[in-house]
Amino acid sequence: MERVIHKKSLFSLGAVAVALAFIISSVFSYILMERPDKRDQEFSLMLAGRVNDIVTDEILRPLLVSRTMSHDRLLIDWLEHEEERTQKENVAFMEEYLSLLKNEFNYTSAFLISEKSHCYYTWKGLNKILNPLNDPHDKWYPTFIKKGLSFELNADTDQVNGNHWTIFINCRITSKEGELLGVCGVGVVMDHLQQIMSDYEEQYGVKINLVDSNGLVQMAVDYSDIQRMYLNNIKLDAANDNYSILRNMHSYRISKYLKELGWYLVVQTGMNSSKSKFIPLVILNFISAGLLIALLYLALYLKEKADAERGSDPNPLDDLTGLPNRLYFSEAYGETGIFNTTRYKTFIVFDIDHFSAEKELHPEDLLIKETADIAKQLFDSSGLLLRWRSDTFIVLSEQEVNQALELCELLCRRIRGEIGITISAGLTAIDLTDTIKKNYYCAMQGCYAAKFAGGNQAVIYRGEA
């Protein structure tokens, strides 16, 4: 009954959103018709906002991937001990690592430069030894290092990929002590973003650029402008999170600082005729209304799902146990991709047997907290322990499956002896060629088998017979 009421509430909210979207669209269009002196400015701001969303969506994900890569403990350890291996071993390791990253996220390039050796590794292997004095293409490296930034976006031609104009996301890699170890990142060819910008420029009669803090063009429809043209008549203010507008007699220049990227979006628009702008604006309003409704339903669905699975916790750490939670796991690894590290050998899932009955006899939070505390003692030194949901935990263990099984059996005995309840655990050897979701499913099969056998035990799932 509650579910039916809840669904009705969602549909009611959706209906209200539709009505409001159409009312706002109609009123806004009417105001533009009645006040033509404001129409171009308001339309330009709306268009700039849309371009801002597109640019951010195109670049933000590879930026997050690059920054995650720069904090990868496996990569840091490898750089700290690079000189202990032969060059052939180093090239083979980096070729495999960068190829997995490139293929997983479909980037055009993935790279790493070692500060010790100045070796420039790509997904194809060792590309070259950096030599900024003799090769102008290498001057970006010392320039980036001197700036002291943790990351930076840079537009340049990709020598490894046919000299295509590419947005490189450079991230500094440092040790725990802050010592520079190197620079890593990925490259995204500009062709797709350039085509989107070209379509907008042709349809709405505007000019779109991305520039750095000096006004130097980093992204444009015309590739001849990149790294060659400066835009001077714009406001470049990193402290201002709003859109800045400069008007001359015939056009506007609207700029906004994209703090996630460190660049500025600049949209230049002229005073076009009323008809040519009004019709696209009405279409844009309808599209915006549709997107608003879609986003509303998506937000309500995700909130309902998050409430059920994570108790609406927006933080990457579980408040009760202090363990990383499912949100942390999703941000670090995703749930549908594959593992990008060979560090972990065994996937473990365990939960409390007859939890619904046990929490009637004991405080629920206490059961979960004490279970987590014992698990921390056993798994913290050799893996990653997370609270998945409610009484369910997962472990990414660095041990082989048979060694991990011994720890799980010890966990069963200790929980029964110290708390007076039982757990069931399922294990599977991690298959790096399968998705993370498939590895999780296999471990869950082992957990189900343990429960079916009476609980208070651990079972290895070895695949279909």
Side-chain angles (χ1 to χ4, degrees):
M1 182 64 179
E2 291 180 356
R3 182 175 293 274
V4 173
I5 294 174
H6 185 61
K7 286 184 176 180
K8 288 182 177 179
S9 299
L10 291 180
F11 281 113
S12 298
L13 285 172
V16 172
V18 171
L20 286 176
F22 277 98
I23 291 172
I24 293 172
S25 176
S26 301
V27 171
F28 189 58
S29 299
Y30 175 78
I31 293 174
L32 288 177
M33 291 178 66
E34 291 297 308
R35 301 177 64 184
D37 58 314
K38 292 291 184 181
R39 182 176 59 241
D40 285 274
Q41 177 177 319
E42 293 177 359
F43 170 73
S44 300
L45 283 170
M46 178 180 290
L47 181 59
R50 179 62 181 145
V51 174
N52 173 41
D53 292 341
I54 292 172
V55 170
T56 302
D57 287 343
E58 286 284 321
I59 303 178
L60 188 57
R61 187 184 180 196
L63 173 60
L64 293 174
V65 170
S66 296
R67 300 196 70 178
T68 301
M69 179 182 171
S70 70
H71 291 85
D72 187 346
R73 190 67 250 174
L74 177 68
L75 202 58
I76 292 172
D77 290 342
W78 179 84
L79 285 169
E80 289 177 337
H81 301 89
E82 178 187 11
E83 69 279 3
E84 299 174 10
R85 294 175 291 271
T86 66
Q87 187 178 72
K88 183 177 180 181
E89 290 172 331
N90 286 329
V91 171
F93 173 85
M94 286 311 307
E95 184 176 345
E96 179 183 8
Y97 182 96
L98 295 173
S99 293
L100 285 172
L101 184 72
K102 172 186 175 295
N103 294 334
E104 170 63 21
F105 296 102
N106 198 29
Y107 297 139
T108 54
S109 66
F111 62 91
L112 178 138
I113 297 95
S114 166
E115 173 63 15
K116 288 181 180 178
S117 64
H118 280 197
C119 288
Y120 188 143
Y121 299 99
T122 73
W123 56 276
K124 293 182 178 180
L126 178 62
N127 178 256
K128 61 180 176 178
I129 306 298
L130 287 187
N131 190 347
L133 294 178
N134 296 328
D135 190 345
H137 279 94
D138 296 343
K139 291 182 179 179
W140 69 268
Y141 181 77
T143 301
F144 170 65
I145 297 302
K146 288 179 182 178
K147 291 180 181 179
L149 301 174
S150 61
F151 75 95
E152 183 182 50
L153 274 66
N154 182 40
D156 201 352
T157 55
D158 188 353
Q159 292 178 299
V160 182
N161 190 33
N163 287 320
H164 285 286
W165 273 104
T166 302
I167 296 176
F168 289 99
I169 300 164
N170 307 316
C171 291
R172 179 187 295 259
I173 307 174
T174 58
S175 65
K176 289 183 178 179
E177 295 73 27
E179 177 188 1
L180 175 66
L181 298 178
V183 173
C184 68
V186 298
V188 182
V189 170
M190 296 184 186
D191 294 353
H192 182 238
L193 183 57
Q194 187 257 7
Q195 184 59 53
I196 295 174
M197 292 168 60
S198 176
D199 292 342
Y200 270 71
E201 289 190 0
E202 181 177 352
Q203 184 174 0
Y204 299 112
V206 298
K207 182 72 173 176
I208 303 169
N209 294 109
L210 293 173
V211 304
D212 64 15
S213 57
N214 297 314
L216 179 62
V217 172
Q218 301 291 330
M219 181 64 205
V221 171
D222 186 354
Y223 281 163
S224 64
D225 292 341
I226 298 175
Q227 296 282 357
R228 294 183 179 88
M229 187 177 75
Y230 285 84
L231 298 184
N232 298 314
N233 189 24
I234 53 176
K235 290 184 179 180
L236 302 179
D237 183 5
N240 185 1
D241 198 39
N242 298 317
Y243 289 93
S244 299
I245 304 173
L246 287 177
R247 180 201 290 188
N248 59 29
M249 291 188 64
H250 302 292
S251 65
Y252 292 99
R253 278 192 172 182
I254 300 173
S255 60
K256 177 177 173 58
Y257 181 60
L258 309 180
K259 58 184 178 181
E260 297 90 352
L261 311 181
W263 285 350
Y264 293 84
L265 168 67
V266 180
V267 178
Q268 306 171 73
T269 178
M271 303 293 286
N272 293 341
S273 65
S274 299
K275 285 186 178 180
S276 64
K277 283 198 148 187
F278 177 70
I279 295 176
L281 179 58
V282 171
I283 296 173
L284 191 64
N285 282 340
F286 276 96
I287 293 174
S288 299
L291 288 174
L292 176 65
I293 295 165
L295 287 173
L296 175 63
Y297 274 102
L298 179 61
L300 290 171
Y301 168 76
L302 292 177
K303 184 177 184 303
E304 184 181 24
K305 184 178 180 181
D307 288 344
E309 294 185 351
R310 296 194 300 268
S312 298
D313 182 9
N315 300 310
L317 295 180
D318 177 50
D319 290 336
L320 177 60
T321 64
L323 294 173
N325 59 19
R326 187 166 183 171
L327 177 61
Y328 171 92
F329 185 89
S330 297
E331 290 178 347
Y333 300 101
E335 294 183 24
T336 57
I338 62 173
F339 284 107
N340 56 13
T341 174
T342 59
R343 176 181 179 182
Y344 302 117
K345 304 295 190 299
T346 304
F347 202 120
I348 304 169
V349 177
F350 68 88
D351 62 16
I352 298 172
D353 294 330
H354 313 296
F355 184 61
S356 297
E358 292 291 355
K359 68 183 182 181
E360 296 294 328
L361 303 175
H362 310 281
E364 177 180 347
D365 287 354
L366 183 62
L367 290 179
I368 294 172
K369 180 71 166 59
E370 290 181 344
T371 299
D373 289 342
I374 295 174
K376 285 179 188 178
Q377 298 172 21
L378 297 178
F379 293 110
D380 264 2
S381 62
S382 61
L384 176 63
L385 172 66
L386 305 97
R387 184 183 179 190
W388 194 246
R389 62 173 179 270
S390 184
D391 64 315
T392 303
F393 298 82
I394 69 171
V395 181
L396 301 180
S397 176
E398 299 173 14
Q399 296 182 327
E400 300 294 343
V401 69
N402 289 327
Q403 292 177 294
L405 176 64
E406 294 177 4
L407 275 184
C408 289
E409 290 173 342
L410 176 58
L411 177 66
C412 291
R413 292 194 298 272
R414 285 195 56 181
I415 287 178
R416 183 171 186 178
E418 297 176 27
I419 308 177
I421 61 175
T422 64
I423 66 164
S424 294
L427 305 84
T428 189
I430 290 177
D431 186 344
L432 295 177
T433 64
D434 271 338
T435 64
I436 294 174
K437 185 175 182 180
K438 180 64 179 297
N439 281 279
Y440 168 77
Y441 169 80
C442 292
M444 279 300 303
Q445 294 305 302
C447 186
Y448 292 148
K451 288 187 178 297
F452 185 76
N456 191 32
Q457 57 187 286
V459 172
I460 298 175
Y461 179 79
R462 303 187 186 275
E464 299 295 339

